[in-house]
Amino acid sequence: APGTRLVETEEFPDEWRSLAEAAIDAFEVVREADDVEWTYLAPAALIEPGDRTGEYRTAEGELVTDEDGESYVSMEDFAVALADELEEGNAIHTYLGVGY
């Protein structure tokens, strides 16, 4: 739901909660820095090794899901998204979700 972080849902695995909360805390520190150009890329709910297709979608400030509400991206395509954003530099001071 809008305004709800994935880590706040009942479905979020307890074993990943502390890592996710640490990443959120780190993002909050970076977001407050006014003397640094930053771009924050967040992977889909499920990120794992897979095929490198070169295809992905981004969404500013939100989790990327497909038409069925599923959120997935391969590590390989997440790496492509990261490289693309570094090269293009179009998302300065922006949080981007990445997925299919």
Side-chain angles (χ1 to χ4, degrees), residues 3-60:
T4 301
R5 290 180 170 156
L6 186 60
V7 71
E8 297 168 342
T9 65
E10 290 182 20
E11 296 84 12
F12 196 86
D14 286 335
E15 62 268 18
W16 289 97
R17 193 169 309 278
S18 62
L19 178 63
E21 289 172 348
I24 291 167
D25 291 345
F27 169 65
E28 295 298 332
V29 169
V30 169
R31 185 169 71 172
E32 296 300 319
D34 58 1
D35 60 342
V36 175
E37 288 188 352
W38 59 267
T39 302
Y40 192 91
L41 265 61
L46 179 60
I47 180 172
E48 60 186 0
D51 293 329
R52 179 179 184 258
T53 67
E55 303 283 326
Y56 62 87
R57 293 182 299 123
T58 61
E60 189 171 330

